[in-house]
Amino acid sequence: MRCPSFKILCFAWKEPIVYQILVSGKEEVNTTMAVQSCIQDPLWCSMFQLNCTVLGWRQETVNGRRIKDVYVLSSVGVAKAALEAINGFNLFGNQGCSWSVIFVDFDAHNRNRQTLCSLLPRESRSHNTDAALLPCLSYPAFALDDEVLFSQTLDKVIRKLKGKYGFKRFLRDGYRTALEDKTRRYYKPAEIKLFDGIECEFPLFFIFMIIDGVFRGNLAQVKEYQDLLDPLLQHTSEGCPVVPKYYYVPADFVELEKKNPGSQKRFPSNNGRDGKFFLWGQAVYIIAKLLADKLVSPKDIDPIGRYVPPQDQRNVSMRFSNQGPLENDLVVHVALIAESQRLQVFLNTYGIQTQTPQQVEPIQIWAQKELVKAYFHLGVNDKLGLSGRPDRPIGCLGTSKIYRILGKTVVCYSIIFDLSDFYMSQDVMMLIDDIKNALQFIKQYWKMHGRPLFVVLIREDNIRGSRFNPILDMLAAFRKGIVGGVKVHVDRVQTLISGAVVEQLDFLRITETEEAPVFKSLEELDLPKHSKVKRQSSTPNASELEQQPDVNINDWKNKSTYEILQKLNDCNCLASQALLSSILLKREGPNFITKEGTVAEHIERIYRRAGSKKLWSVVRFAASLLGKLVDSLAPSITNVLVQGKQVTLGAFGQEEEVISNPLSPGVIKNIIYEKCHLQDEREAVVQQELVIHVGWIISNSPELFSGMLKIRIGWIIHAMKYELKIRAGDMPAKDLYQMSPSEVKQLLLDILQPQQQGRSWLNRRQIDGSLNRTPAGFYDRVWQILERTPNGLIVAGKFLPQQPTLSDMTMYEMNFSLLVEDMLQNIDQPEYRQIIVELLMVISVILERNPELEFQDKVDLDKVVQEAFHDFQKDHSSPKGAEKQDDMTAFYNTQPTGKKGTCSYLSKAVITLLLEGEMKPNNDDPCTIS
């Protein structure tokens, strides 16, 4: 039963093979069409599809539907290795030129690397581990350069899958077992439980371990797996060794094997004398034998140097390797570009040396979107209907190279310097933060020979008003050579170009019949050189009063359109204008004519004016009315997904949309404006801000999201509002919507940090519950509870049954963790959710220490908490009225541990419920008297 990702695997393995064919003198690819159609265009597809998702179908159904595996890491890893191997390779060999060279998008490839590293040592959502990771991370792909992560993954594969006859492919693998119904394509619900403990074992993976031992110089590993493999080999009538494809448990021995795992003899699928051969196993066995007997060396079977021993990594050419230059102290080259001579002269008075676009000529400065346009022509083939590189932004790794295009030398500036219509670009502190983050990213992930060239574009708008001082401080840091902890070297573009990485984009060959593409370079603003730069007076953050409208929407929404127009014309308050315009927009539509044009045009002017005055609440309200969408929203969500998380969009306490697969910007926009407009229009754009911030933080500091499987944006906003209330104390809390984007980002970072001491337990539970944070091992413990709860668990009306859950899934797979999160989804109070999490941990500990106990009936977690709360009330009786009897604030504010802690009350309620059932007899119980 072959999965769709098999095609990606085939393509991934094909690329290194093409290289081997060509270096041997074969001319398999000898036309431009072959370059485009056979290699380059499928390569684009694989890069960007792997960034989004790699799908594979497990062979069973759950509740009548097929299970879809997202991020099958063995496929991602092999494709990543193929991209590294093929990058920069000339498909025409010695007869080729620069236009027959294969290109890899380094930013897209880097996201593949992040996908691989973030989810390992797991294989996929449904497979906690898989033997397919062996050839992915070791020979022949060598897809991982992190030795610690490699060891963790390898140890997990060995611990869970190794047997006497080989490795299981994965747990509960029914392939070719005696109980598998070979007439059906998919398994029935709960059927895979039947294969538990009788999975076929494949000697092939012993051979991969032998080869891995040879490459890594681990002779003990080679000897261990040779000794395990030799008894498993069959022989032909001529005495030649044969590698069986797998060993299986015969039908007559299945029950005995399940009762006592490893006790029964397994039989080979083929023995060579029946004329059947497992050719893959035979081929790999011959390679392993030649290596072990030292008849060939590792370099002979790895001609492109995918594996580089640690001691050789500093001195070897690594173009095709999974390794990069081992330079921990990378210096980023920086070119400061002023958009006008007037700005250049102004900055020079502060000692900041810059260049203008004219001064770097004949070198051209492009925006990254022009580079996207150029790459669009790579892989295009009208005859075959191939469209070239997808229209995706170039990241900061790609914009840090020099390009030669159609005889021009081009440098590019990052997307963070693009003029954006979204209000976040109006916060200069966000720009400075983005620059520092980009430099950190380049330092961390730059693996090319040569220095990165980072172009900093300074616009006149950047230094107006209160923006000037922060920008000046940043430019001074560039001059000193350290920005955000990254070493930088500032110089002229003409000087820096000699040490940069140069990419030849000669695939843009234009024939006489073709029209040359038009590219727009950065043009210098034509302003008088000695005219004064207009620095507007410093604009401090607007007061809360300025951001409040002086009209009440309830008073005006029922008034006539004429009255609203009159008020709109007489009103000077931007907040009031926005509110009145929203009434007209909903009533009359965006094209309704006002004194200052259409309603939409009027709101756009309010948006601009409010931005210049830093009226962030008004800005957000107007942006939401206009349906603004921030750039890079879809990639930010993808950054979260590749970390093994899910994203939910929607206001707190309202219906949420769960995103588990990458979506297009248009679909995301529809979700946001449908789910987040219900209570406050500003929520729709603030959620976009949060998605951007979360996407960047999780890529650079994933540990801050530890224990959070679902990133619920609406709940995070609720946590931020609660944090503001905590900080305000007895004073009115600051309005989140009135804060600048950079302040919102800092607040997000603050709440993601581990909670500081000194806070009340109510506050801690409020924040952790809003973040959906769980303790380490939480989902595994819920599995153990479910094993002892035949009738399942229920909370907030959401039921988690024992069957077919335990039969359809395994303990450590992500799909089960997501099912637990789905059970907790209906809880509408963050502090109550955290109490439920604590309760489940308590139940787990009690069951672990009392193996004779199990629940007889369905466990209603809400009732258990209520029982614990009633006991708490008895011990903390107060003279307050009956109307306060259901107020659990004091319970939430009680520490978990201690004599009167919440755990003691929860434990008592759990034990009472357990003792209502029957105890299982245990012959080993020392208390048994008969």
Side-chain angles (χ1 to χ4, degrees):
M1 301 178 190
R2 190 169 290 175
C3 67
S5 61
F6 179 80
K7 295 180 180 179
I8 296 176
L9 278 167
C10 291
F11 170 69
W13 285 115
K14 179 179 73 174
E15 292 189 346
I17 293 171
V18 169
Y19 171 82
Q20 313 261 6
I21 291 173
L22 292 173
V23 295
S24 67
K26 302 292 185 182
E27 295 185 3
E28 295 294 328
V29 182
N30 52 19
T31 67
T32 305
M33 182 180 294
V35 173
Q36 296 167 340
S37 60
C38 295
I39 305 296
Q40 187 64 67
D41 198 78
L43 185 144
W44 291 134
C45 295
S46 69
M47 270 191 293
F48 288 99
Q49 184 175 359
L50 287 168
N51 283 337
C52 298
T53 180
V54 175
L55 303 180
W57 293 106
R58 272 178 67 179
Q59 299 176 15
E60 74 275 6
T61 58
V62 174
N63 298 328
R65 60 183 176 86
R66 292 182 293 178
I67 291 182
K68 184 168 59 174
D69 263 348
V70 180
Y71 307 116
V72 182
L73 290 195
S74 52
S75 299
V76 174
V78 171
K80 170 186 175 288
L83 294 174
E84 290 166 344
I86 201 69
N87 177 49
F89 179 64
N90 197 316
L91 290 175
F92 285 11
N94 296 331
Q95 290 76 41
C97 52
S98 54
W99 55 262
S100 56
V101 171
I102 291 299
F103 290 89
V104 169
D105 185 312
F106 278 96
D107 293 281
H109 174 258
N110 184 66
R111 285 189 289 272
N112 293 337
R113 185 203 59 76
Q114 288 181 313
T115 302
L116 183 67
C117 294
S118 63
L119 293 185
L120 283 174
R122 186 185 299 275
E123 156 72 356
S124 66
R125 282 186 185 170
S126 63
H127 291 174
N128 183 255
T129 190
D130 196 304
L133 290 169
L134 293 179
C136 166
L137 304 185
S138 183
Y139 174 82
F142 297 107
L144 191 64
D145 58 350
D146 187 329
E147 287 296 323
V148 174
L149 189 54
F150 171 82
S151 298
Q152 291 175 350
T153 306
L154 184 63
D155 290 345
K156 189 174 188 180
V157 172
I158 293 173
R159 186 174 68 254
K160 294 189 175 295
L161 302 180
K162 181 182 174 183
K164 290 190 296 185
Y165 297 87
F167 283 79
K168 301 171 184 177
R169 298 194 309 174
F170 51 87
L171 298 178
R172 295 186 176 179
D173 176 19
Y175 177 74
R176 293 296 184 262
T177 59
L179 300 183
E180 183 188 38
D181 184 350
K182 300 176 179 59
T183 64
R184 285 188 283 109
R185 190 178 180 188
Y186 298 103
Y187 299 139
K188 295 178 180 178
E191 188 176 1
I192 64 169
K193 175 71 173 176
L194 300 175
F195 312 128
D196 199 358
I198 62 166
E199 303 94 334
C200 292
E201 295 180 359
F202 293 74
L204 168 70
F205 297 109
F206 281 173
I207 305 175
F208 277 115
M209 292 299 294
I210 294 172
I211 297 175
D212 177 74
V214 173
F215 268 89
R216 300 180 187 278
N218 190 339
L219 299 182
Q221 178 177 313
V222 174
K223 179 70 166 56
E224 175 189 354
Y225 285 95
Q226 281 180 326
D227 293 343
L228 289 172
L229 178 67
D230 287 344
L232 306 178
L233 297 176
Q234 304 297 304
H235 294 83
T236 65
S237 54
E238 292 82 10
C240 297
V242 173
V243 179
K245 184 175 182 178
Y246 55 85
Y247 276 81
Y248 67 96
V249 178
D252 294 342
F253 301 159
V254 164
E255 292 304 319
L256 294 174
E257 176 68 15
K258 285 188 174 184
K259 290 179 181 178
N260 188 6
S263 62
Q264 303 303 304
K265 181 180 178 180
R266 292 172 178 252
F267 291 84
S269 59
N270 57 291
N271 56 26
R273 293 182 294 275
D274 53 9
K276 297 178 181 179
F277 293 93
F278 178 40
L279 296 181
W280 184 14
Q282 289 299 118
V284 178
Y285 172 73
I286 293 172
I287 292 173
K289 192 69 175 171
L290 291 172
L291 283 171
D293 293 343
K294 298 184 179 180
L295 297 175
V296 298
S297 70
K299 291 183 179 179
D300 293 325
I301 64 168
D302 183 27
I304 57 177
R306 287 292 305 149
Y307 177 74
V308 182
Q311 65 271 19
D312 298 335
Q313 288 176 6
R314 288 187 180 273
N315 305 312
V316 71
S317 175
M318 302 178 187
R319 193 186 81 182
F320 304 112
S321 172
N322 65 345
Q323 299 285 343
L326 293 180
E327 186 169 1
N328 298 322
D329 205 17
L330 178 71
V331 177
V332 179
H333 287 176
V334 175
L336 301 179
I337 305 296
E339 70 173 350
S340 69
Q341 281 194 346
R342 183 175 74 175
L343 179 59
Q344 181 187 38
V345 171
F346 175 77
L347 292 174
N348 194 38
T349 62
Y350 291 89
I352 307 298
Q353 302 295 323
T354 62
Q355 290 179 281
T356 65
Q358 287 185 359
Q359 291 169 350
V360 303
E361 292 179 351
I363 300 170
Q364 294 188 358
I365 303 173
W366 286 9
Q368 61 84 29
K369 61 184 177 182
E370 298 300 311
L371 195 56
V372 171
K373 191 190 303 182
Y375 267 119
F376 177 77
H377 294 271
L378 179 56
V380 170
N381 191 307
D382 294 333
K383 294 180 180 178
L384 298 176
L386 303 179
S387 58
R389 183 187 184 275
D391 184 15
R392 309 280 176 85
I394 303 289
C396 53
L397 295 179
T399 55
S400 296
K401 296 188 288 185
I402 305 292
Y403 294 89
R404 300 200 190 277
I405 305 174
L406 296 176
K408 302 171 184 175
T409 301
V410 175
V411 296
C412 297
Y413 56 84
S414 171
I415 191 174
I416 62 178
F417 299 104
D418 283 352
L419 293 173
S420 173
D421 192 39
F422 200 75
Y423 62 85
M424 289 175 67
S425 63
Q426 297 174 355
D427 185 354
V428 72
M429 298 307 298
M430 284 297 302
L431 173 63
I432 293 172
D433 196 34
D434 287 343
I435 291 172
K436 292 178 180 178
N437 289 337
L439 291 172
Q440 286 281 1
F441 185 84
I442 293 170
K443 177 186 176 182
Q444 185 174 359
Y445 297 117
W446 184 264
K447 286 196 170 187
M448 288 168 272
H449 292 285
R451 304 285 188 183
L453 175 55
F454 187 71
V455 176
V456 176
L457 178 59
I458 311 166
R459 303 182 188 273
E460 291 205 357
D461 187 59
N462 297 145
I463 64 168
R464 289 180 178 159
S466 60
R467 305 173 185 177
F468 174 66
N469 287 332
I471 287 289
L472 186 62
D473 291 341
M474 182 195 67
L475 294 176
F478 275 114
R479 190 175 60 178
K480 292 177 182 178
I482 295 286
V483 178
V486 179
K487 289 185 178 181
V488 298
H489 172 68
V490 180
D491 212 327
R492 300 169 66 249
V493 173
Q494 291 87 340
T495 304
L496 298 177
I497 200 171
S498 60
V501 176
V502 180
E503 199 80 270
Q504 300 275 355
L505 300 192
D506 286 349
F507 53 79
L508 281 170
R509 296 181 301 152
I510 306 299
T511 64
E512 295 180 357
T513 59
E514 291 180 312
E515 182 179 348
V518 178
F519 299 106
K520 183 180 180 181
S521 62
L522 179 67
E523 295 181 358
E524 187 173 316
L525 293 184
D526 187 16
L527 299 170
K529 179 178 179 180
H530 298 290
S531 61
K532 189 176 180 181
V533 175
K534 294 182 180 180
R535 283 188 57 205
Q536 298 170 348
S537 59
S538 179
T539 306
N541 284 326
S543 67
E544 183 175 343
L545 186 61
E546 290 180 272
Q547 305 208 51
Q548 297 295 334
D550 54 15
V551 297
N552 189 305
I553 191 170
N554 293 323
D555 296 338
W556 284 89
K557 64 182 180 181
N558 294 322
K559 292 192 177 184
S560 68
T561 300
Y562 175 78
E563 290 178 292
I564 295 173
L565 284 172
Q566 286 293 108
K567 180 64 176 178
L568 187 62
N569 295 336
D570 298 337
C571 180
N572 293 321
C573 173
L574 287 176
S576 299
Q577 290 182 28
L579 202 61
L580 294 169
S581 298
S582 71
I583 299 174
L584 290 176
L585 180 68
K586 295 172 184 176
R587 183 186 297 178
E588 307 292 348
N591 298 319
F592 182 72
I593 302 297
T594 68
K595 184 178 179 180
E596 297 189 26
T598 65
V599 172
E601 291 170 346
H602 189 68
I603 296 174
E604 186 71 39
R605 274 190 287 273
I606 295 172
Y607 175 70
R608 300 294 175 193
R609 293 170 188 165
S612 65
K613 294 185 176 184
K614 297 185 179 180
L615 300 171
W616 296 114
S617 178
V618 181
V619 168
R620 290 185 172 102
F621 186 70
S624 182
L625 293 178
L626 295 168
K628 299 283 186 182
L629 189 70
V630 68
D631 296 330
S632 303
L633 191 62
S636 296
I637 287 181
T638 301
N639 287 342
V640 178
L641 298 180
V642 301
Q643 296 287 337
K645 315 288 186 182
Q646 288 186 335
V647 180
T648 69
L649 298 174
F652 175 81
Q654 304 294 324
E655 183 183 2
E656 298 170 275
E657 183 79 17
V658 180
I659 301 177
S660 55
N661 296 315
L663 302 174
S664 67
V667 174
I668 298 172
K669 179 180 179 179
N670 291 338
I671 293 173
I672 286 177
Y673 280 99
E674 179 183 339
K675 301 292 183 183
C676 305
H677 246 169
L678 301 176
Q679 293 181 332
D680 192 322
E681 283 86 351
R682 298 170 295 179
E683 180 91 5
V685 289
V686 170
Q687 292 220 5
Q688 295 182 51
E689 287 183 55
L690 266 292
V691 168
I692 295 294
H693 298 329
V694 167
W696 185 264
I697 295 170
I698 202 170
S699 295
N700 294 275
S701 302
E703 68 279 0
L704 293 180
F705 293 88
S706 177
M708 299 166 57
L709 191 58
K710 277 189 178 178
I711 311 299
R712 302 173 73 178
I713 302 299
W715 280 56
I716 291 177
I717 291 175
H718 178 76
M720 296 168 74
K721 292 178 179 178
Y722 193 82
E723 175 69 16
L724 292 174
K725 289 182 181 178
I726 296 172
R727 294 181 181 183
D730 297 331
M731 302 295 292
K734 193 173 183 179
D735 186 355
L736 176 70
Y737 300 116
Q738 294 180 5
M739 298 170 65
S740 69
S742 55
E743 291 174 328
V744 170
K745 182 178 182 180
Q746 186 57 53
L747 179 60
L748 172 63
L749 284 168
D750 291 344
I751 66 165
L752 289 175
Q753 299 291 339
Q755 295 298 306
Q756 299 176 355
Q757 297 297 322
R759 294 201 167 189
S760 70
W761 281 102
L762 173 62
N763 293 343
R764 294 189 194 187
R765 289 184 172 112
Q766 267 276 4
I767 298 296
D768 285 340
S770 297
L771 296 176
N772 284 212
R773 187 171 273 152
T774 59
F778 170 72
Y779 303 107
D780 299 345
R781 288 184 174 274
V782 176
W783 176 278
Q784 293 166 349
I785 294 171
L786 209 56
E787 288 180 319
R788 309 268 286 279
T789 314
N791 293 300
L793 303 169
I794 187 170
V795 61
K798 199 78 171 182
F799 180 54
L800 180 63
Q802 185 192 64
Q803 295 297 341
T805 305
L806 298 187
S807 298
D808 279 336
M809 299 177 180
T810 56
M811 179 177 183
Y812 304 102
E813 69 178 66
M814 194 180 297
N815 281 335
F816 175 72
S817 303
L818 292 171
L819 201 61
V820 175
E821 278 296 327
D822 188 54
M823 177 185 72
L824 301 175
Q825 187 83 11
N826 282 3
I827 301 175
D828 56 6
Q829 289 183 293
E831 58 270 38
Y832 185 71
R833 175 196 157 93
Q834 207 60 20
I835 288 291
I836 292 293
V837 169
E838 293 173 23
L839 170 61
L840 288 168
M841 296 296 287
V842 166
I843 294 174
S844 171
V845 172
I846 292 174
L847 291 178
E848 185 179 21
R849 295 177 180 177
N850 299 273
E852 73 282 1
L853 297 177
E854 71 173 26
F855 293 102
Q856 298 299 309
D857 298 319
K858 182 190 300 180
V859 177
D860 190 327
L861 299 179
D862 297 318
K863 289 183 178 179
V864 176
V865 172
Q866 285 300 316
E867 188 67 31
F869 177 59
H870 290 326
D871 286 340
F872 175 84
Q873 284 183 310
K874 292 176 184 177
D875 292 345
H876 299 77
S877 58
S878 64
K880 294 183 179 180
E883 70 276 1
K884 298 290 185 180
Q885 291 302 307
D886 293 332
D887 184 2
M888 296 181 66
T889 303
F891 188 67
Y892 296 142
N893 205 26
T894 303
Q895 65 179 10
T897 56
K899 185 177 180 181
K900 297 292 184 179
T902 55
C903 286
S904 64
Y905 293 102
L906 294 171
S907 298
K908 181 180 177 181
V910 171
I911 292 172
T912 300
L913 184 62
L914 278 168
L915 293 179
E916 290 177 357
E918 297 180 359
M919 294 188 186
K920 295 186 297 183
N922 188 344
N923 295 330
D924 298 329
D925 190 346
C927 296
T928 301
I929 59 176
S930 62

